[in-house]
């Protein structure tokens, strides 16, 4: 089955009791058993198994071409679960341009538990090899990265992991399974914040891990049960509903972001644009090879001080000033003072998060209205 068909159908068959076309929301914490320790089809407690969650997990596995899917209460709960596969003393190599919350989790939580982290330039595959140590057990990447839209060469990093027997994980939130499938490039684990494009309507929090092998999936299942950072059935239902239109939404997100990128390129107040779809993006060729579209996220540097940049993000009328991304509505934010405020200033400037950096999550509205909105915000 092709992607759009999997998005609508995978994991979901009509409800056996009534034939309901939509997966029922199983609001139950426990299940009756006919005899001790003989639950029906493994349903003994909702932390272990819930049919609405099972449908979502099967759908996610199908979308990412993985062996098993696992849903969590948030994207960060999913990221955290990958780190729980490791032991104290283990070392992780990660991109230096990471989702701010992932960086905070690494630095302020797991560093205290005995893990150590090295951050490298995501656009240079050799940088990952150079950072390896004897105790490296995980390579963690995002591609495109947040907020600078750097591209990781997925084939090269997956091969490095295989050659050195190191687990590889890719946070695929920005690209979505519609545009990119890291497992098909050889990655072991794909992570998602379902809160973003998969949910797609800014109305829920969720996370997911998809594994390339059943054996790794069983270790993740164990951690789901043992740690318990699971989504409720209503959030699973809403995510499934969102995913049904993922392929339609991504088409429009990509087309609108391209229009916005072209507009910004011509604009005299814009010093620099970060969008992998532009031919002068340093890794455009890699992006074109591994992605079927360039996504709806885009950052740019305004010729402006921190204060001026903050004023511009307050002046847009359609682009709402907000953190998060991936919903149908367009959002604007100022990473240095918002999503990436927890990155120390020196590090922030070193990796290129300038004072005038502005990030857009380009929604699915009419592109002309979006361009007019940016124009008036830059002008006034
Ligand atoms: C939002 C986000 C996360 C964290 O997800 P939550 O659902 O907010 O916990 C992780 N990675 C990326 C790339 C994100 O955008």
């Amino acid at each position: 089955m092709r992607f759009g068909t999997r998005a609508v159908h995978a994991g979901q068959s009509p409800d056996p009791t009534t034939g309901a076309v939509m997966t029922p929301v199983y609001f139950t914490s426990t299940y009756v058993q006919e005899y001790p320790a003989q639950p029906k089809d493994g349903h003994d407690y909702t932390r272990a198994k819930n049919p609405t969650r099972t449908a979502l997990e099967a759908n996610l596995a199908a979308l990412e071409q993985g062996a098993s899917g696992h849903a969590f209460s948030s994207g960060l709960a999913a990221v955290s679960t990958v780190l729980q596969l490791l032991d104290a003393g283990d070392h992780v190599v990660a991109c230096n341009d990471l989702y701010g919350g992932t960086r905070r989790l690494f630095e302020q939580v797991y560093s205290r538990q005995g893990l150590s982290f090295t951050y490298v330039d995501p656009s240079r595959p050799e940088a990952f090899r150079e950072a390896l140590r004897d105790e490296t057990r995980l390579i963690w990447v995002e591609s495109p990265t947040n907020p600078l839209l750097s591209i990781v060469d997925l084939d090269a990093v997956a091969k490095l992991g295989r050659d050195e027997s190191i687990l590889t994980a890719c946070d695929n939130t920005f690209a979505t399974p519609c545009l990119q499938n890291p497992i098909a490039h050889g990655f072991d684990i794909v992570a998602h914040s379902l809160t973003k494009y998969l949910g797609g309507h800014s109305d829920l929090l969720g996370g997911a891990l998809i594994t390339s092998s059943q054996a790794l999936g069983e270790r993740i299942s164990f951690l789901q049960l043992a740690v318990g950072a699971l989504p409720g059935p209503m959030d699973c239902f809403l995510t499934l509903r969102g995913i049904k239109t993922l392929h339609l939404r991504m088409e429009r997100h990509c087309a609108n972001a391209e229009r916005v990128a072209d507009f910004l390129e011509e604009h005299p107040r814009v010093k620099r644009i970060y969008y992998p779809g532009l031919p002068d993006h340093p890794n455009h060729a890699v992006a074109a090879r591994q992605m079927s579209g360039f996504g709806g996220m885009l950052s740019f540097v305004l010729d402006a001080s921190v204060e001026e940049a903050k004023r511009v993000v307050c002046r847009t009328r359609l682009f709402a000033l907000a953190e998060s991304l991936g919903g149908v509505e367009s959002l604007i934010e100022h990473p240095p003072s918002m999503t990436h405020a927890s990155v120390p200033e020196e590090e922030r400037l070193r990796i290129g998060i300038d004072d005038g950096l502005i990030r857009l999550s380009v929604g699915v509205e009419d592109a002309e209205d979006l361009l007019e909105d940016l124009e008036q915000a830059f002008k006034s």
Side-chain angles (χ1 to χ4, degrees):
M1 270 192 289
R2 291 160 185 83
F3 189 85
T5 314
R6 276 181 276 144
V8 176
H9 293 288
Q12 300 151 85
S13 36
D15 175 45
T17 323
T18 62
V21 168
M22 289 303 291
T23 305
V25 187
Y26 282 87
F27 279 121
T28 188
S29 59
T30 191
Y31 310 85
V32 74
Q33 304 184 25
E34 279 177 16
Y35 192 78
Q38 286 188 5
K40 262 197 191 119
D41 196 23
H43 292 101
D44 57 2
Y45 190 58
T46 269
R47 178 154 34 72
K49 200 169 177 186
N50 178 285
T52 318
R53 194 171 82 230
T54 302
L56 172 61
E57 292 179 331
N59 180 268
L60 291 166
L63 295 189
E64 284 289 9
Q65 304 174 34
S68 73
H70 307 268
F72 295 87
S73 53
S74 72
L76 280 178
V79 177
S80 182
T81 301
V82 176
L83 298 178
Q84 288 159 9
L85 292 167
L86 307 184
D87 297 312
D90 289 351
H91 173 247
V92 179
V93 177
C95 302
N96 65 15
D97 181 23
L98 276 184
Y99 176 68
T102 298
R103 178 111 183 181
R104 181 175 54 206
L105 181 70
F106 288 3
E107 286 303 299
Q108 297 186 35
V109 180
Y110 282 95
S111 290
R112 284 188 6 247
Q113 317 266 340
L115 298 183
S116 59
F117 299 87
T118 301
Y119 301 97
V120 303
D121 176 355
S123 59
R124 287 200 317 120
E126 323 81 72
F128 290 91
R129 178 182 293 283
E130 289 157 14
L132 297 185
R133 299 186 197 155
D134 291 343
E135 55 291 358
T136 307
R137 294 288 175 273
L138 172 69
I139 300 175
W140 179 274
V141 306
E142 284 177 25
S143 188
T145 64
N146 178 17
L148 295 177
L149 287 299
S150 296
I151 298 293
V152 174
D153 184 331
L154 297 181
D155 287 326
V157 171
K159 180 171 184 317
L160 176 65
R162 265 200 317 277
D163 289 351
E164 305 292 331
S165 304
I166 296 168
L167 210 56
T168 48
C170 178
D171 182 333
N172 204 27
T173 300
F174 270 37
T176 82
C178 183
L179 305 181
Q180 170 174 288
N181 297 117
I183 288 174
H185 292 275
F187 269 73
D188 299 307
I189 300 175
V190 174
H192 279 287
S193 169
L194 302 175
T195 315
K196 315 295 169 54
Y197 288 103
L198 280 84
H201 298 77
S202 308
D203 53 7
L204 62 88
L205 209 61
L209 296 176
I210 297 98
T211 62
S212 62
S213 76
Q214 204 61 49
L216 192 51
E218 277 162 25
R219 293 172 64 197
I220 303 283
S221 289
F222 169 77
L223 289 168
Q224 283 182 296
L225 178 72
V227 180
L230 296 162
M234 190 67 206
D235 286 342
C236 293
F237 174 87
L238 287 173
T239 308
L240 276 169
R241 184 164 79 165
I243 288 173
K244 286 181 192 293
T245 55
L246 177 64
H247 52 304
L248 305 176
R249 289 184 281 111
M250 291 317 292
E251 247 180 66
R252 180 63 84 92
H253 282 298
C254 292
N256 279 359
E258 273 170 38
R259 291 286 306 279
V260 171
D262 291 344
F263 163 82
L264 294 172
E265 261 204 317
E266 300 295 314
H267 206 284
R269 288 201 65 189
V270 175
K271 282 204 297 197
R272 176 154 190 196
I273 307 170
Y274 297 93
Y275 185 61
L278 292 174
D280 61 358
H281 182 286
N283 275 339
H284 174 68
V286 179
R289 195 178 71 222
Q290 66 194 21
M291 302 175 80
S292 62
F294 300 106
M297 296 302 297
L298 171 160
S299 295
F300 61 97
V301 180
L302 206 60
D303 195 359
S305 65
V306 167
E307 289 316 311
E308 281 173 293
K310 284 187 186 170
R311 277 198 295 277
V312 167
V313 300
C314 292
R315 277 199 299 255
T316 49
R317 296 176 190 139
L318 274 175
F319 282 89
L321 175 59
E323 301 197 358
S324 198
L325 58 111
V328 289
E329 67 290 323
S330 291
L331 302 179
I332 190 165
E333 70 119 355
H334 182 237
S337 61
M338 296 171 67
T339 47
H340 292 67
S342 62
V343 181
E345 181 173 345
E346 194 184 317
E347 171 74 355
R348 173 168 76 66
L349 293 173
R350 198 178 60 72
I351 63 182
I353 306 180
D354 283 45
D355 291 344
L357 188 78
I358 291 175
R359 188 188 80 180
L360 302 178
S361 172
V362 181
V364 302
E365 300 94 336
D366 192 302
E368 293 302 327
D369 289 324
L370 296 179
L371 301 186
E372 284 172 20
D373 190 33
L374 292 173
E375 184 62 55
Q376 67 78 26
F378 289 172
K379 254 200 204 117
S380 34

